[in-house]
Amino acid sequence: MSRGRRRSERADRAPRSRRRLPGVSGPQHPSPVPCGEDVVVAPGPLLLAGVQEGPGLAVHRRRHGLLVPHEEGFPDAEALAVLAEQVRLRGRGGAGFPFATKLRRVAERGGRRRPPVVVVNAAEGEPASHKDAALLRTVPHLVLDGAAAAAHAVGAHEVHVVVPAERHRVVTALAAALAERRETGDPADVTADASPLRWQVHVAAPRFVAGQESAVLELIAGREGLPVHRREPAAVRGVRGRPTLLSNAETFAHVGLLALHGAEPALAHGTAEEPGTTLVTTVLVTQDGCADPVVREVPFGTSVASLLPVPGATPEVASAPVPVLVGGFHGAWLTAAEAAEATVSSTDLARFGAHLGAGVLLVPGTGVCPLGLTDRILGHLAEQSAGRCGPCVHGLGSLATAFGEVTSGREVPSGPVAELAAVVVGRGACAHPDGTSRLVVSALQALADEIDAHSTGSCPPAESRPFSSPRPGSPGNPGAGEEHRWAS
Amino acid sequence: MGLLNRRAQRGGVTLEVDFSSCRAAGLCHELLPEVIGLDVWGYPVVDGAPVPPDRVREARAAARACPRLALRVVEA
């Protein structure tokens, strides 16, 4: 064997960690919810208060004041953890992990000689979600204050912010906000000690799994931003092996509010079990794409029905109560009746086997079949697999095909699709297979009537008439009329 | 019996698969068929339950044998 040949053989092989498994190739399944960057942002009570005044630092400081030591001292890790516990702050990226627990773990593991690292995850890989984009474009300094406060609490000197490549306006907005802080020498960055924070921006590739925790850590480490198996959570070993406080951008915005104003403002909203507010993106899926997403800040306990599009607001709205997909592409379907009853609350949604996830409500508009939509989402999710874990690569494609067999009436819901949905769970380096399985299982349950109809060859949504009379039981659209169109 | 195995018997050990490294060689299943199953594509299926004490030795052998070092014995 000649030397040259051996070398070329070696060159054919990608580095071990990057080798991809064969899977579905080529973008044959684009996002079924092809929203652009135009988002409607409604002013809200806490995070989104006064968004119409613009994202500048001066406006932010006028409203929220300086991030300076409180009378009882600037929140150290324990004080901040206590505040987070008072408002029961949970991560807003989808997993819902208690923030206080994470904060304490990072603070314990860190120390002067091994300062922890803070990571703000605004990668928002879910195409239907726009809340983190809305935050960074309307109130970036609240997110940055939250990150700065958390960094000072755990003794971190560096903050990494991860933004999505495909959302140019978010990348620009963050750059502008950081530049403004640098230029004005904002004192918020140097509160407790003399060393200023180092801010680093990373741009994540446009793919569904780019926002997964391990993918974000890979990106920061200088590798391709794809999920990998991690033995320990980021709070124990994250960026360069340091304890890392990695949370979603919305979570940091809530931390910012806690650090600036204490727990009282959040406690004035929501329910006793779940105080405060949360961001919800509502997307109306139309036959040829989707209407502009609406981002709202709502108190926990708000009725889901009150957030759904109101008949008459747009020409393509649904003509009758429709099933709603709660939690985005990794979420769960609610029947029309469940959606009328459910509230924005993790405990309440758990009754229906759903969870808030990243706070996305997907509503099929007139003529959009929820089963067909699920089909397209599954095709997209299978294609968005990072291609690293066998059960995901093989399983999600098979799962999408098997679901298609059910929606076309060739197979029963208890057939291969149920088996496949069970076999992929917990068998990947990230939450992608689990989330996809959850979507399938919920669709088989909540869309049982639609599946029955399909098995007899009919599809009611596709045959339905356009909207003609007001939808009963819809309490109206909160904030309608004063919504701020954020298209600049 | 080594110290490690005695400790393992007291606390119990579990198996963990790094699916981003696993390439379905199937050696783990060959060495430990009672504990490690295979799915239709040949990837290991472990249920996260403690390995039976009399299988711990084989579990360690399976972890060592994996050509991708994708199987790990986790001490409880």
Side-chain angles (χ1 to χ4, degrees):
Chain A
M1 187 188 285
S2 77
R3 219 170 161 199
R5 186 167 155 215
R6 207 182 305 154
R7 190 174 295 161
S8 71
E9 271 175 4
R10 208 167 287 167
D12 285 345
R13 269 177 53 182
R16 206 180 83 165
S17 61
R18 306 232 181 126
R19 202 149 27 119
R20 304 254 184 100
L21 290 164
V24 191
S25 58
Q28 291 150 2
H29 299 277
S31 166
V33 184
C35 306
E37 283 202 81
D38 288 348
V39 181
V40 180
V41 183
L46 302 172
L47 303 184
L48 298 181
V51 286
Q52 59 276 50
E53 288 176 51
L57 185 57
V59 171
H60 171 74
R61 291 281 167 243
R62 246 200 329 274
R63 169 160 298 107
H64 295 290
L66 278 170
L67 192 63
V68 290
H70 292 189
E71 302 112 48
E72 69 275 28
F74 190 83
D76 59 9
E78 187 48 36
L80 193 57
V82 169
L83 283 175
E85 259 171 357
Q86 277 178 322
V87 303
R88 306 198 183 185
L89 180 60
R90 284 174 173 273
R92 301 298 166 81
F97 192 79
F99 183 77
T101 310
K102 198 186 270 188
L103 184 71
R104 286 202 178 100
R105 196 177 288 176
V106 171
E108 278 164 20
R109 293 272 172 169
R112 252 176 210 292
R113 295 182 57 200
R114 273 174 67 78
V117 176
V118 171
V119 179
V120 181
N121 186 1
E124 210 166 30
E126 157 100 44
S129 177
H130 287 77
K131 69 184 181 74
D132 297 330
L135 277 179
L136 284 178
R137 285 167 63 187
T138 58
V139 288
H141 291 290
L142 193 55
V143 179
L144 299 182
D145 270 1
H152 284 294
V154 299
H157 305 305
E158 54 183 289
V159 181
H160 299 262
V161 189
V162 181
V163 285
E166 76 277 22
R167 306 192 194 206
H168 306 286
R169 291 170 190 169
V170 176
V171 181
T172 322
L174 175 66
L178 286 175
E180 204 179 357
R181 284 188 169 228
R182 250 194 328 270
E183 280 158 23
T184 55
D186 190 66
D189 287 3
V190 285
T191 11
D193 51 58
S195 64
L197 287 173
R198 285 193 305 278
W199 297 89
Q200 261 194 58
V201 178
H202 306 266
V203 180
R207 67 182 310 149
F208 196 87
V209 294
Q212 297 282 333
E213 180 174 288
S214 63
V216 165
L217 290 175
E218 285 284 290
L219 179 73
I220 293 173
R223 294 185 285 270
E224 207 176 351
L226 296 175
V228 289
H229 178 77
R230 298 186 70 85
R231 291 180 182 179
E232 290 165 305
V236 177
R237 282 177 71 83
V239 177
R240 296 196 308 280
R242 303 271 185 93
T244 299
L245 185 69
L246 190 156
S247 283
N248 171 259
E250 187 193 340
T251 315
F252 279 111
H254 288 285
V255 173
L257 273 185
L258 287 177
L260 288 159
H261 305 290
E264 284 75 26
L267 290 174
H269 296 275
T271 63
E273 255 182 24
E274 287 169 286
T277 61
T278 191
L279 295 182
V280 174
T281 312
T282 311
V283 181
L284 179 72
V285 185
T286 60
Q287 277 168 310
D288 51 356
C290 67
D292 285 351
V294 183
V295 175
R296 294 193 188 87
E297 181 192 10
V298 300
F300 282 107
T302 303
S303 100
V304 167
S306 70
L307 303 172
L308 303 181
V310 174
T314 57
E316 314 91 342
V317 288
S319 58
V322 289
V324 177
L325 178 54
V326 181
F329 292 178
H330 278 176
W333 281 98
L334 298 186
T335 65
E338 288 169 345
E341 204 189 314
T343 61
V344 176
S345 143
S346 38
T347 44
D348 189 54
L349 286 170
R351 287 193 295 151
F352 309 109
H355 71 145
L356 202 53
V360 181
L361 299 178
L362 274 175
V363 189
T366 300
V368 176
C369 170
L371 281 177
L373 177 60
T374 311
D375 254 340
R376 295 198 298 279
I377 293 175
L378 286 173
H380 178 67
L381 291 180
E383 195 173 272
Q384 288 292 311
S385 166
R388 282 191 159 166
C389 303
C392 181
V393 170
H394 299 282
L396 298 200
S398 310
L399 191 53
T401 311
F403 190 80
E405 293 289 300
V406 173
T407 58
S408 58
R410 283 193 291 269
E411 191 56 78
V412 290
S414 57
V417 67
E419 204 177 306
L420 281 165
V423 90
V424 297
V425 174
R427 297 179 70 220
C430 73
H432 194 51
D434 300 50
T436 309
S437 168
R438 183 164 49 226
L439 172 67
V440 169
V441 171
S442 81
L444 293 176
Q445 284 172 1
L447 306 178
D449 291 350
E450 285 81 357
I451 292 173
D452 277 350
H454 276 224
S455 67
T456 61
S458 85
C459 178
E463 295 148 12
S464 69
R465 296 180 309 279
F467 161 76
S468 54
S469 62
R471 218 167 90 196
S474 181
N477 190 349
E482 49 166 345
E483 278 170 354
H484 183 62
R485 193 158 194 88
W486 207 265
S488 62
Chain B
M1 186 179 278
L3 174 70
L4 267 180
N5 274 355
R6 245 178 291 148
R7 195 192 299 154
Q9 281 192 1
R10 261 208 310 277
V13 301
T14 53
L15 289 171
E16 185 185 275
V17 180
D18 169 1
F19 281 104
S20 54
S21 293
C22 177
R23 289 293 175 274
L27 285 176
C28 56
H29 169 71
E30 294 296 329
L31 289 165
L32 198 59
E34 313 89 323
V35 179
I36 301 174
L38 292 183
D39 64 18
V40 290
W41 308 287
Y43 292 88
V45 179
V46 295
D47 59 1
V51 177
D54 60 335
R55 295 287 103 173
V56 170
R57 190 181 292 266
E58 285 81 357
R60 291 188 201 287
R64 276 195 305 272
C66 175
R68 303 273 308 172
L69 303 180
L71 184 68
R72 197 164 73 103
V73 175
V74 184
E75 312 292 337

